[in-house]
Amino acid sequence: MHETTEDATVIPVKGKPKSGRVWKCDKKRFGSMCQVKPLKTKWSKKLELRKERKDLLLHNAEIKEAKQQEKELRKERRRKKLERKLENERKGEVVQVIKNTAKLRRLSKKQFRKIEKRDTNPKTT
């Protein structure tokens, strides 16, 4: 009823190694591990690799460009913010016009350092 065939390969059952190192596998001969690369690749494979590399370079360029644009945008925003801040400071200043410049000689060094020149008649555009 049930016949065994000779061509069936029998795989031996492996037990737990005595050393306890279950992660170690059977060693194979060096000749079977060493795989030699062919000297020449196929043309289709070469074209595929070339296309892949080109796509990768394009992708990298896009990422770099996006980062550059973001950096420029941040710079521009910061510059505008500083300009607005300076303008608002100037608007809120309390100004005292010194008509007699001879008074400047009588000021102390500290007071003299605090004096700033301003255009009293700013141009309106």
Side-chain angles (χ1 to χ4, degrees), residues 73-108:
L73 195 65
R74 273 185 288 176
K75 272 186 186 178
E76 185 66 25
R77 275 198 303 235
R78 179 158 171 72
R79 192 179 58 73
K80 283 184 180 179
K81 184 182 174 185
L82 288 172
E83 283 177 12
R84 266 198 321 272
K85 186 178 178 183
L86 190 66
E87 192 178 313
N88 289 338
E89 278 179 10
R90 294 263 166 92
K91 279 181 187 175
E93 278 180 344
V94 177
V95 187
Q96 184 180 358
V97 181
I98 302 171
K99 291 177 183 169
N100 185 8
T101 54
K103 287 181 181 179
L104 293 174
R105 294 191 194 119
R106 284 179 278 175
L107 295 176
S108 67

Side-chain angles (χ1 to χ4, degrees), residues 25-69:
C25 56
D26 292 339
K27 290 193 176 180
K28 293 179 176 61
R29 290 183 175 264
F30 184 73
S32 66
M33 287 192 297
C34 189
Q35 293 178 352
V36 181
K37 279 178 82 175
L39 293 173
K40 293 179 183 177
T41 54
K42 291 182 181 176
W43 182 247
S44 58
K45 181 77 173 170
K46 199 174 270 191
L47 286 175
E48 190 181 313
L49 285 171
R50 199 177 285 175
K51 185 182 178 298
E52 203 173 294
R53 179 168 156 65
K54 189 178 177 185
D55 290 345
L56 188 69
L57 287 172
L58 278 170
H59 185 64
N60 283 349
E62 286 173 8
I63 290 171
K64 203 176 256 188
E65 181 67 30
K67 279 185 182 178
Q68 187 68 26
Q69 281 182 338

Side-chain angles (χ1 to χ4, degrees), residues 14-27:
K14 298 267 184 176
K16 189 177 172 188
K18 186 161 186 152
S19 63
R21 295 178 180 173
V22 290
W23 62 90
K24 298 269 187 168
C25 56
D26 292 339
K27 290 193 176 180

